[in-house]
Amino acid sequence: MKRDQGLFDRSSRVRRRDGLQRHQLLQVRGRSVTWLVPLVTLVVIVVVDFNTTGEFRIVSWCVFVAAIAAALCGVWTTALFAVLALVTYVGADAAWPYQYRAGPADFVLVLVGGVLSVLAADVRVRSERRMLHMRHIAETTRRTVLRPLPPGWGGLDHAAVYLAADADARMGGDFYDIQPGPHGTRVLLGDVQGKGLGAVEAAAALLGTFREAAYHEPDLTTVAARLETRMRRHRLHTVALGRDDGDRFATAVLIGFPQEERDVVDVVGFGHEPPLAVGPAGVRPLPHGDGLPLGLGDLAAGLGDPAAEGPPPVRRAFLAPDETLLLVTDGVTEARDRAGAFYPLADDLTEALAHDPRTAEPARLVAHVRDRTLAHCGGRLADDTTIFAVRREGADAHEGPERGRLQS
């Protein structure tokens, strides 16, 4: 509750957080020393002014001191330097003979420059607070849509990471979840087309349907059909509201871990990259069908292809106990280096497993893919990136769905 309140208050805690954003480039032992820059500038101006001839006076350059403070420091610090610069100007100018003094014109320049610098600092600080406020709202919204997953949830060992392509916290539509239930544990990962609140809203609608259908429906095909229907209903609703995102769709992978069979998984693909089975023996893609993205299922009917109507088929695949399922969004598969080459995910994982088979563990696997993706693209992600890894837990994994049913 305290964290939520911190999004909206204007207490000293928020101002300190703003300060960390502003001064993170110039710190000594964790303390901001940005005030040293305008202070050193003022000292240099005074020293140079006293060591030049009367025909070359630079004391009026004191106007730059407050301007520099406005770019680096807070409002009150800027005001302090504006006053200090004005006082310094008066004292330094008065020390020269009358014929060499800069005069009242430069005094007015330093005075007006100081006032304008204080106003500029106030505008800048307000803008930084607003940006930080929006970032926290974006993070809170994502945490609301992507609920935290407890360790061992649904009998699965899991790890995930989300990387935003936009440093200014534009929200994307990547989503994932695990839902245990009486018919086994189901996993969903997907990517809604587009960005912004519209994409997050569509992701939230799909996740809500998944959590209900994955728990109650015994057949994974029915869960897939419910997701398709939900995406179409969501689009109709947005069109009825007069919005222009009525053609939005989502790629996704739906996975079922049957309760009675521990060595297989059921996979349904909605136009997404196939999940990879990663284990000490190597890397292999799982068959996941060639279904259309969620929301585009009606295209098959429009093309007159009866075989393509309805949800995509469920593909059953073998999964060894030491294999981890890796699911990623296109921020990974479409990451490019400077030469334009895509990140070779499967080849890179094969090489990593040859050096250390423990790379297949979910936490290690997610960390490896994250680091290698960022290294491949030089930290310049072209799209929001989600990396999600799951595998069955050990001897107690059969208790996972029951525990999930009691907590749902």
Side-chain angles (χ1 to χ4, degrees):
M1 189 65 182
K2 292 181 179 179
R3 178 178 300 177
D4 294 337
Q5 293 174 346
L7 297 177
F8 303 101
D9 65 15
R10 297 189 178 275
S11 63
S12 60
R13 184 178 61 215
V14 173
R15 289 192 290 271
R16 286 195 299 270
R17 196 162 56 230
D18 293 338
L20 290 176
Q21 294 287 328
R22 292 196 302 271
H23 310 322
Q24 58 184 345
L25 296 180
L26 190 57
Q27 293 184 349
V28 174
R29 296 182 178 180
R31 293 181 177 273
S32 170
V33 291
T34 52
W35 53 270
L36 281 176
V37 178
L39 180 61
V40 170
T41 302
L42 182 61
V43 171
V44 169
I45 291 174
V46 172
V47 171
V48 173
D49 184 71
F50 272 105
N51 287 277
T52 55
T53 62
E55 289 76 12
F56 184 75
R57 298 289 312 284
I58 66 169
V59 68
S60 59
W61 290 12
C62 286
V63 69
F64 296 128
V65 173
I68 293 173
L72 299 175
C73 306
V75 177
W76 288 107
T77 305
T78 302
L80 176 62
F81 274 106
V83 173
L84 184 60
L86 189 63
V87 172
T88 302
Y89 169 83
V90 172
D93 195 42
W96 283 82
Y98 180 79
Q99 65 270 25
Y100 295 119
R101 293 179 184 177
D106 286 351
F107 173 83
V108 174
L109 175 66
V110 176
L111 174 63
V112 173
V115 173
L116 293 178
S117 296
V118 173
L119 294 176
D122 182 66
V123 171
R124 194 203 80 242
V125 170
R126 288 177 182 271
S127 177
E128 288 179 352
R129 285 181 181 173
R130 189 179 305 111
M131 181 180 66
L132 188 63
H133 176 69
M134 293 305 297
R135 285 183 177 179
H136 281 290
I137 290 177
E139 292 171 4
T140 302
T141 301
R142 288 207 61 86
R143 286 196 302 267
T144 302
V145 174
L146 300 179
R147 62 179 181 179
L149 297 175
W153 184 239
L156 299 180
D157 184 10
H158 59 83
V161 65
Y162 169 79
L163 303 173
D166 194 329
D168 291 332
R170 280 192 66 194
M171 294 174 289
D174 289 6
F175 58 92
Y176 61 88
D177 201 5
I178 298 174
Q179 180 58 57
H183 310 290
T185 298
R186 276 74 182 266
V187 174
L188 178 68
L189 176 135
D191 182 6
V192 176
Q193 173 262 336
K195 291 183 179 295
L197 288 176
V200 176
E201 184 181 15
L206 289 172
L207 284 174
T209 297
F210 166 73
R211 290 162 185 163
E212 289 299 312
Y215 180 86
H216 292 288
E217 300 294 345
D219 190 356
L220 199 64
T221 302
T222 306
V223 179
R226 292 273 299 275
L227 290 172
E228 171 66 25
T229 301
R230 185 67 184 93
M231 190 64 197
R232 294 191 202 179
R233 290 174 54 205
H234 178 75
R235 288 168 49 183
L236 290 174
H237 180 259
T238 57
V239 170
L241 291 174
R243 287 162 41 179
D244 57 358
D245 55 351
D247 58 349
R248 195 182 295 276
F249 60 88
T251 62
V253 177
L254 175 63
I255 299 175
F257 289 82
Q259 188 172 9
E260 67 281 357
E261 300 180 68
R262 294 181 49 80
D263 58 350
V264 298
V265 290
D266 296 323
V267 185
V268 182
F270 297 94
H272 200 82
E273 292 289 330
L276 297 178
V278 182
V283 181
R284 59 186 177 90
L286 295 187
H288 73 313
D290 52 358
L292 293 173
L294 291 167
L296 301 182
D298 52 349
L299 292 181
L303 295 174
D305 184 5
E309 294 184 24
V314 177
R315 307 289 188 182
R316 175 156 288 193
F318 171 76
L319 189 68
D322 58 356
E323 285 186 315
T324 299
L325 285 185
L326 175 66
L327 303 97
V328 299
T329 56
D330 51 14
V332 174
T333 56
E334 296 182 3
R336 295 173 181 260
D337 60 12
R338 294 185 180 272
F342 290 108
Y343 169 49
L345 175 60
D347 294 340
D348 180 68
L349 288 177
T350 300
E351 182 179 352
L353 290 167
H355 287 86
D356 185 3
R358 295 181 301 171
T359 304
E361 298 173 5
R364 292 174 178 265
L365 181 59
V366 165
H368 175 83
V369 175
R370 175 200 61 199
D371 295 343
R372 295 292 292 171
T373 299
L374 291 174
H376 183 80
C377 66
R380 300 179 300 275
L381 293 172
D383 199 355
D384 292 345
T385 301
T386 298
I387 308 165
F388 191 38
V390 294
R391 73 174 175 186
R392 289 188 185 271
E393 284 189 320
D396 296 332
H398 65 280
E399 298 178 3
E402 183 63 26
R403 290 199 304 268
R405 183 169 60 214
L406 294 176
Q407 299 180 35
S408 295

